Amino acid sequence: MSFDYKRLIKFEHNIGDKDKKVRMVSGVVLLAVSLFTASILMLVVGLVLVATSYVGWCPAYSGFDKNTLGSNVTDGQ
């Protein structure tokens, strides 16, 4: 598995519904915990998880050519 920087500039949805839910819940939990522990790292990771869940695109998934959308989504149609 190799990392391709050219795929990072393509904005194609690559996060499926189940992955979105897991990212959103874990991001919100990390945000809530970071408020009580004053941990900047948890805050940043939580924000990234919530943002990628909301947008539906993960740059790391794009770089490694990973896709969790499933087979029921058609490209561009």
Side-chain angles (χ1 to χ4, degrees):
M1 175 164 45
S2 65
F3 191 79
D4 187 9
Y5 292 102
K6 292 180 183 176
R7 280 189 234 130
L8 281 177
I9 60 174
K10 291 183 187 177
F11 180 78
E12 296 176 354
H13 293 274
N14 57 8
I15 298 177
D17 289 336
K18 186 176 180 182
D19 197 6
K20 277 185 182 183
K21 290 176 187 174
V22 169
R23 283 173 182 258
M24 184 62 77
V25 169
S26 59
V28 168
V29 167
L30 281 175
L31 287 174
V33 170
S34 73
L35 292 175
F36 295 110
T37 61
S39 173
I40 300 297
L41 181 63
M42 279 193 196
L43 178 72
V44 170
V45 171
L47 286 173
V48 167
L49 287 173
V50 169
T52 56
S53 170
Y54 182 74
V55 174
W57 175 71
C58 178
Y61 279 9
S62 291
F64 288 111
D65 198 26
K66 184 175 178 183
N67 191 348
T68 61
L69 277 175
S71 60
N72 59 353
V73 175
T74 59
D75 293 332
Q77 295 178 1

